[in-house]
Amino acid sequence: MAVIEAKNLTKRFRVADKKPGLWHTLKHFVNRRYRLIEAVREVSFSIEPGEIVGFLGPNGAGKTTTLKMLTGLIHPSAGRVAVVGQTPFQRRHDFLHQITLVMGQKQQLIWDLPAMDSLKINASIYRIDPVEATRRIDELAGMLDLGEELQQPVRKLSLGQRMKAELLAALLHRPRVLFLDEPTLGLDINAQASVRDFLRAYNRQYKATILLTSHYMADITALCPRVMLIHEGKLMFDGSLDALSARFAPYRELNLEFRHEIAREQLESYGEVESAGGHAASLIVPRDRLTHILDELRNGFDVVDFTVTDPPIEQVIGRLFRTGSLEAAAL
Amino acid sequence: MKSFAHKLRTITGVQYAALLEYRAEMVLWVAGTVLPFILMGVWMTASAKADLVLQPVEMARYFFATFVVRNMTLVWVVWEFEQQVVKGTLSHWLLQPMDPVWRHFAEHLAERFVRLPILVVIGVVFFAVYPDALWTPGLWDIPIALAAIVLTFIMRFSVQYTFAMLSFWTERAHAIEQLWALPYLFLSGMVAPLALYPQAVQQVLVYTPFPYLIWYPAQKVLGLPTAAGSVEVTLGMAVGVMAFWTLVFILANRLLWRIGIRRYSAMGA
């Protein structure tokens, strides 16, 4: 039975429509105009227990709004949603005991006190016996490689240590479902890797279901066998990373080695030049024109060697985000 | 119930520790509530020159008591809640199985314990300057005064937390709350003891929440009778009026919460 189920989930926001300037400010004061924004449009999916799913999309795509509906923070405008068999926005205690939401850019720990004090509050709110709470804190701190840091004021911790302490606070009640919104935001590479390792271990140990949004593709490739891609509020893709690559990357990477030095401008008519310098160059070319372009290059230049590879998933998704349009990304 | 008391005790304890980090600021916050002492100077002078109901020394005691009551019942939840809604930080509390009101309540409770020692120091200085103002409370005066202060705090908290709910509709709920501040200032007994008001006004006021925010608990701190005009405000009447208004605001609060929370869009969260 699915642990998260969304059916035609929709969220519309009414936002004030006001142009800049004094005149428009006065006009807006007497005659307010609003427009309706559809942040999430008829999104449907289901997630099984123990799955780790990456939720991808450019900024403003509707990822966080969806997470907020799944956690019960906001009410959907239409559609149905069930998490652990409950309706999130009713925010029943039984439901709240089973979920958590970690927001990379927001913190729940009390800034001026050691994280341990916030953990004490969480333990009492979730009715965790003090002995059991200490056992869990020790266990999670071990997995997160946290020690003395828990006794230091939160404001004195590094960003990485702080995020680990936030994770500990969010997981103290051992939730079955984790909603993670950019949990590695701003962390250095080591801290990112450490958070990823922890999430993987937590998922294995507690069979927890994880829905993760991240702009760091390393998070997605390392943790998520399944990804969902949302764009302008619509779910565009739901499947494996390989399937995503095949669908949204109908192009290949062509790495060339020339006998003579070559300039970038000489190659621009053959495809998108990723890099060019000295005797080597790398081009992105449409998959269906690969043979034709390769023939043309071999006729026009003295090609010593070449290799053809699929672009890495980071590049595929990065390209989707950069262009801001899935259609454009498909070359 | 035991579990709830444990939660409240834990949160209050941790918040107390957090507030101690701001102890220097706390002194300044208390210093910002010295209006009663300024009013005391004005009314003592007026009382010395004119034949008022209260003598200068009684004025000094009354305004000292209002200073204590005001400090022990101070509420700022509207500002905090408004920020939580506007910045979306309310989300963390909404995701936990405890109504956010108790987190705010515990924070206010903890603040009292940080504020109290500063009030004691100010009290010592006050009585050193005005030794004539010192009075000896009766055996029952202290528990009755404490109970009055607790009831006043609960009523004041429920009033302001109800105004705080307007944050779901406007980003400036505290500005609306200021509408309450004006009658509070003039009708609570803060700027003048209720005995100086016209009899008819006093008799109407005792059925509103205002005199119970300052005047009634201040009179109880002083162990003085609480008659307003021809109306004798007995302990039972005071508890009844305060309980009534507290209930009215709690009901309004829960209604606004249920409607408002649907509007919460967790901006920026």
Side-chain angles (χ1 to χ4, degrees):
Chain A
M1 188 190 156
V3 73
I4 303 174
E5 192 126 41
K7 187 94 179 141
N8 298 325
L9 200 56
T10 300
K11 182 67 190 178
R12 296 181 204 99
F13 289 110
R14 198 176 73 135
V15 293
D17 196 11
K18 179 189 159 299
K19 290 177 183 156
L22 180 64
W23 168 243
H24 290 293
T25 302
L26 293 171
K27 213 170 135 187
H28 184 70
F29 186 74
V30 289
N31 182 23
R32 280 176 189 264
R33 280 170 186 270
Y34 295 92
R35 68 194 160 93
L36 218 54
I37 288 181
E38 240 180 358
V40 176
R41 294 189 275 176
E42 299 188 340
V43 165
S44 299
F45 59 85
S46 78
I47 297 175
E48 296 301 314
E51 269 196 280
I52 307 185
V53 180
F55 202 25
L56 303 175
N59 288 330
K63 304 186 295 290
T64 305
T65 305
T66 306
L67 285 192
K68 285 177 190 168
M69 286 192 280
L70 294 176
T71 50
L73 283 176
I74 56 176
H75 288 233
S77 307
R80 277 195 329 231
V81 58
V83 177
V84 292
Q86 305 217 27
T87 306
F89 59 80
Q90 290 176 343
R91 292 183 26 257
R92 293 211 168 99
H93 284 192
D94 180 38
F95 165 73
L96 297 173
H97 271 274
Q98 297 186 66
I99 65 138
T100 199
L101 169 66
V102 176
M103 295 176 274
Q105 72 278 41
K106 295 273 175 210
Q107 61 166 56
Q108 65 157 312
L109 299 172
I110 300 171
W111 186 248
D112 292 305
L113 295 181
M116 198 56 101
D117 282 315
S118 297
L119 297 177
K120 246 168 76 177
I121 289 186
N122 282 12
S124 74
I125 287 178
Y126 288 100
R127 295 184 190 181
I128 306 166
D129 169 76
V131 178
E132 172 63 11
T134 309
R135 207 184 62 71
R136 290 189 193 183
I137 290 169
D138 289 345
E139 183 189 333
L140 290 169
M143 288 167 78
L144 283 159
D145 198 22
L146 283 171
E148 288 299 304
E149 294 89 346
L150 292 176
Q151 311 290 347
Q152 292 168 17
V154 172
R155 64 168 187 270
K156 301 271 185 198
L157 301 179
S158 69
L159 195 59
Q161 291 166 336
R162 219 154 61 213
M163 180 39 77
K164 286 179 183 178
E166 285 286 341
L167 276 169
L168 205 166
L171 301 177
L172 191 61
H173 60 289
R174 276 207 196 130
R176 282 174 63 201
V177 185
L178 280 59
F179 297 98
L180 309 173
D181 193 12
E182 306 276 358
T184 55
L185 191 73
L187 304 189
D188 66 34
I189 288 173
N190 291 334
Q192 282 178 31
S194 161
V195 167
R196 281 197 290 270
D197 291 344
F198 168 75
L199 293 174
R200 200 182 292 113
Y202 187 89
N203 164 260
R204 266 197 219 123
Q205 197 160 333
Y206 298 108
K207 309 279 177 268
T209 309
I210 300 177
L211 183 57
L212 164 88
T213 80
S214 179
H215 276 117
Y216 297 119
M217 286 314 123
D219 291 347
I220 304 296
T221 50
L223 291 171
C224 310
R226 174 183 166 192
V227 291
M228 294 193 295
L229 191 65
I230 190 168
H231 181 63
E232 293 179 349
K234 280 188 133 181
L235 192 65
M236 306 298 285
F237 176 84
D238 183 353
S240 70
L241 273 173
D242 290 343
L244 176 82
S245 181
R247 177 160 161 197
F248 291 105
Y251 52 87
R252 307 198 82 185
E253 194 174 67
L254 185 55
N255 298 297
L256 299 149
E257 195 184 328
F258 302 95
R259 187 171 304 282
H260 307 291
E261 282 200 8
I262 194 123
R264 173 181 279 264
E265 298 75 40
Q266 292 175 272
L267 298 171
E268 276 173 350
S269 58
Y270 296 94
E272 189 182 323
V273 184
E274 283 277 289
S275 65
H279 294 262
S282 177
L283 299 178
I284 298 287
V285 296
R287 211 179 273 256
D288 56 353
R289 293 191 60 225
L290 176 68
T291 319
H292 176 70
I293 289 171
L294 197 53
D295 284 346
E296 280 191 349
L297 281 165
R298 288 168 79 179
N299 291 336
F301 303 95
D302 196 352
V303 178
V304 179
D305 195 12
F306 70 89
T307 56
V308 179
T309 56
D310 279 324
I313 190 69
E314 287 88 343
Q315 208 178 79
V316 175
I317 295 167
R319 200 180 174 85
L320 285 170
F321 288 178
R322 274 201 309 278
T323 54
S325 152
L326 294 169
E327 291 75 19
L331 272 182
Chain B
M1 194 64 197
K2 197 177 154 195
S3 154
F4 176 75
H6 172 67
K7 287 181 194 182
L8 208 60
R9 208 170 49 238
T10 307
I11 299 169
T12 307
V14 172
Q15 285 300 340
Y16 177 75
L19 285 161
L20 277 183
E21 295 288 314
Y22 294 97
R23 53 198 175 274
E25 277 177 52
M26 185 66 74
V27 174
L28 295 175
W29 291 339
V30 175
T33 61
V34 294
L35 177 69
F37 291 126
I38 297 165
L39 292 167
M40 178 183 78
V42 173
W43 281 111
M44 280 175 78
T45 311
S47 171
K49 286 182 181 168
D51 185 25
L52 295 181
V53 184
L54 301 178
Q55 296 303 303
V57 70
E58 290 171 318
M59 287 290 187
R61 283 177 191 155
Y62 179 78
F63 282 103
F64 175 76
T66 65
F67 170 76
V68 172
V69 168
R70 198 167 164 234
N71 269 281
M72 292 310 287
T73 60
L74 209 69
V75 176
W76 64 90
V77 68
V78 68
W79 281 272
E80 208 164 276
F81 191 83
E82 181 185 279
Q83 286 303 302
Q84 284 187 312
V85 172
V86 170
K87 292 181 180 168
T89 49
L90 181 66
S91 301
H92 284 302
W93 291 8
L94 287 177
L95 289 170
Q96 295 189 328
M98 187 184 203
D99 193 308
V101 67
W102 298 114
R103 300 281 296 250
H104 289 293
F105 190 81
E107 209 170 290
H108 281 69
L109 209 59
E111 201 257 9
R112 297 304 100 117
F113 293 105
V114 185
R115 197 175 275 262
L116 195 60
I118 305 167
L119 296 184
V120 170
V121 173
I122 292 174
V124 169
V125 174
F126 176 80
F127 291 117
V129 176
Y130 295 105
D132 291 346
L134 196 62
W135 79 96
T136 314
L139 185 66
W140 285 102
D141 289 348
I142 295 172
I144 290 174
L146 281 174
I149 286 175
V150 169
L151 287 175
T152 296
F153 167 66
I154 292 171
M155 182 169 69
R156 213 174 151 184
F157 185 88
S158 51
V159 170
Q160 206 182 86
Y161 195 58
T162 303
F163 278 105
M165 293 301 111
L166 301 177
S167 306
F168 290 122
W169 286 269
T170 169
E171 290 178 9
R172 292 286 177 273
H174 77 267
I176 299 173
E177 200 268 342
Q178 289 302 303
L179 295 174
W180 170 270
L182 202 66
Y184 161 69
L185 188 69
F186 289 103
L187 306 177
S188 66
M190 189 156 86
V191 293
L194 216 60
L196 299 181
Y197 284 63
Q199 294 270 316
V201 174
Q202 290 183 43
Q203 279 168 227
V204 174
L205 276 183
V206 289
Y207 298 103
T208 72
F210 300 108
Y212 302 94
L213 296 170
I214 294 283
W215 171 78
Y216 182 81
Q219 291 291 93
K220 287 294 155 198
V221 166
L222 298 170
L224 293 174
T226 43
S230 59
V231 181
E232 174 66 35
V233 184
T234 60
L235 195 64
M237 179 183 166
V239 171
V241 174
M242 282 200 263
F244 170 77
W245 285 110
T246 304
L247 196 68
V248 165
F249 278 96
I250 288 175
L251 289 173
N253 178 288
R254 292 296 88 183
L255 183 68
L256 291 171
W257 169 264
R258 288 178 74 161
I259 303 168
I261 202 71
R262 296 183 71 97
R263 296 176 55 92
Y264 179 58
S265 57
M267 299 287 283

